[in-house]
Amino acid sequence: MSRVYNFSAGPAVLPEDVLKKAAAELLEYGDSGQSVMEMSHRSKEYQAIIDECEALLRSVMNIPENYKVLFLQGGASSQFAMIPLNLMTGSGKADFVLTGQWASKAYQEASKLMGAENCKVIASSKDKTFSYIPALDSADFTKDADYFHICMNNTIYGTRFAELPDTGNVPLVADMSSCILSEPVDVSKFGMIYAGAQKNMGPAGLTVVIIREDLIGKAKEGTPTMFDYKIHADNGSMYNTPPTYGIYILKLVLEWVKEQGGLTAMKARNEKKAAILYDFLDQSKLFKATVEGKDRSLMNVPFVTGDEEKDAAFVAAAKKAGFINLKGHRSVGGMRASIYNAMPCEGVEALVAFMKQFEAENA
Ligand SMILES: *Cc1c(COP(=O)(O)O)cnc(C)c1O
C-alpha cells in the first residue's frame, strides 16, 4: 500500500488513524456483531454513536447550551435553500457578502425563494476574481434583516474572514464547510453555522448545522417537511434515516481532534503548515500566491506560475511524485493546495521541497 499526499479541496484527506480505526471496526463494531453501516439508526448501539458524536462536537467547539446540533444530508448546497426558508420570515430581508462562488450561491438561492428585492449585497470582491475579502461598512447593513450571511472560508479562492462583521442583533449565518474545526470559533457570535462534512469532518453525505434555538420553528408556510429545522431538532436528527456512517466517521475525527489537543492545537498546526507554504510562495521566482495579506486562508492555498503550460506541467509532475489534486479550480486556474486538518506537516514540507526542485529545473 502506498498513500499519496492528497491536496483535494473536497472530499479530502482524513486522518490515517481514523481510517485505520474505521477499518478495524468495519466488520464488527464493538461486540454488536455488525458493521455500523448495517445498524438500525433506531438501535441503542447507534443512538450511543450519534449521542457521543454530538457530545464530542459540543465539547470540541464549545457549543453553548442554547444551540442545537443537527446532522443532515443534502450538503452545504441544500442549506442555501433551507436558511432563507427557515430564517427569512421576520422582516423577510437578509444581507449577503459575495466573496466567491459558494457565497454567491447562498445569495442566489435566497433571492430565488424569497425575492431578489429582499436580498441585499453588502459588498462583493468579484471585481478581482474574489481574491480578497471586501471591507464592510456596518452603516450599509439592513438593521432589521433576518440574517446576515457570510462564507467564512472561500474554498475556491483561498480567502477567509480573519475578523467577523459586527451585525449587532442580526443573526450572523456562516458557511464554514471548509474551515470548521480548523481553529477555535466563538459559536455565540453566530446565529447559525453550517458545513458539509467532506472537507474537515468526514465523508461526503453529512451536513452539520449548529443553530441557536430561538431561530428554529419559524419556517415559511409550505416549506417541505425535510427542509424545516424544527422537524430535525424535535426528532434528534432522526426524523428520517440520518447519514449513519458519516456521523460515525465524524465521531472518530472528533476523537482524533481531541487527542491532538483540540481546536487550539489544530490552529497552531494549521498556521504552521500554511506559513511553510506561503513563506515559500512569497520568495519563489516561479510560483506566486493569488491572495495577499490577512485574507489568506489557512485551509486552501491557490497559486500560479503565470504560464498555463507551466502550471499544467507542474500539476502532472507533482501527481507522478505522489502529490495529487493540486489543479486549481477552473475559475482561478493554476494550482490549489488544500491543507485541511488531516494533512500532516510533513506533507506540506514535502510539497515545498518538490516545488523548490521543480523551480530549479524550470527556471
Ligand atoms: C464544498 C463547499 C460547499 C458545497 O458543499 P456541498 O456539500 O457539495 O453542497 C459550499 N460551501 C463551501 C464553503 C464549500 O467549501
Side-chain angles (χ1 to χ4, degrees), residues 9-11 74-80 101-103 105 151-156 175-179 194-199 204-207 300 336 340:
S77 299
S78 291
Q79 293 310 309
F80 300 159
Q101 204 178 93
W102 302 120
K105 284 188 173 170
C151 180
M152 190 91 157
N153 182 77
N154 297 281
T155 325
I156 296 174
D175 179 352
M176 289 199 194
S177 295
S178 53
C179 62
Y194 65 103
Q198 69 271 25
K199 280 70 186 246
L206 166 64
T207 311
N300 312 95
R336 170 179 50 174
Y340 296 119

Side-chain angles (χ1 to χ4, degrees), residues 72-88:
L72 309 178
Q73 307 197 41
S77 299
S78 291
Q79 293 310 309
F80 300 159
M82 272 180 95
I83 295 162
L85 286 173
N86 282 270
L87 270 49
M88 268 177 94

Side-chain angles (χ1 to χ4, degrees), residues 293-316:
K294 68 166 179 34
D295 299 342
R296 284 176 166 179
S297 167
L298 294 180
M299 295 283 99
N300 312 95
V301 183
F303 55 97
V304 294
T305 65
D307 173 339
E308 277 181 31
E309 271 175 33
K310 262 188 190 155
D311 288 348
F314 172 77
V315 170

Side-chain angles (χ1 to χ4, degrees), residues 88-200:
M88 268 177 94
T89 54
S91 68
K93 292 182 265 185
D95 286 348
F96 298 83
V97 184
L98 305 190
T99 51
Q101 204 178 93
W102 302 120
S104 302
K105 284 188 173 170
Y107 164 69
Q108 283 157 7
E109 199 74 359
S111 302
K112 177 178 162 183
L113 292 166
M114 309 301 276
E117 69 283 6
N118 299 316
C119 300
K120 183 173 180 189
V121 174
I122 299 298
S124 165
S125 51
K126 194 170 183 202
D127 60 337
K128 291 187 182 153
T129 326
F130 300 114
S131 60
Y132 67 103
I133 298 290
L136 303 178
D137 182 352
S138 57
D140 299 331
F141 299 3
T142 305
K143 296 290 166 278
D144 62 341
D146 288 328
Y147 68 95
F148 187 108
H149 185 275
I150 60 168
C151 180
M152 190 91 157
N153 182 77
N154 297 281
T155 325
I156 296 174
Y157 306 93
T159 63
R160 63 139 176 185
F161 281 82
E163 275 163 57
L164 294 178
D166 182 1
T167 60
N169 288 331
V170 173
L172 182 61
V173 172
D175 179 352
M176 289 199 194
S177 295
S178 53
C179 62
I180 195 160
L181 306 182
S182 68
E183 59 182 335
V185 290
D186 181 352
V187 175
S188 73
K189 292 218 152 65
F190 298 86
M192 178 182 151
I193 291 168
Y194 65 103
Q198 69 271 25
K199 280 70 186 246
N200 239 349

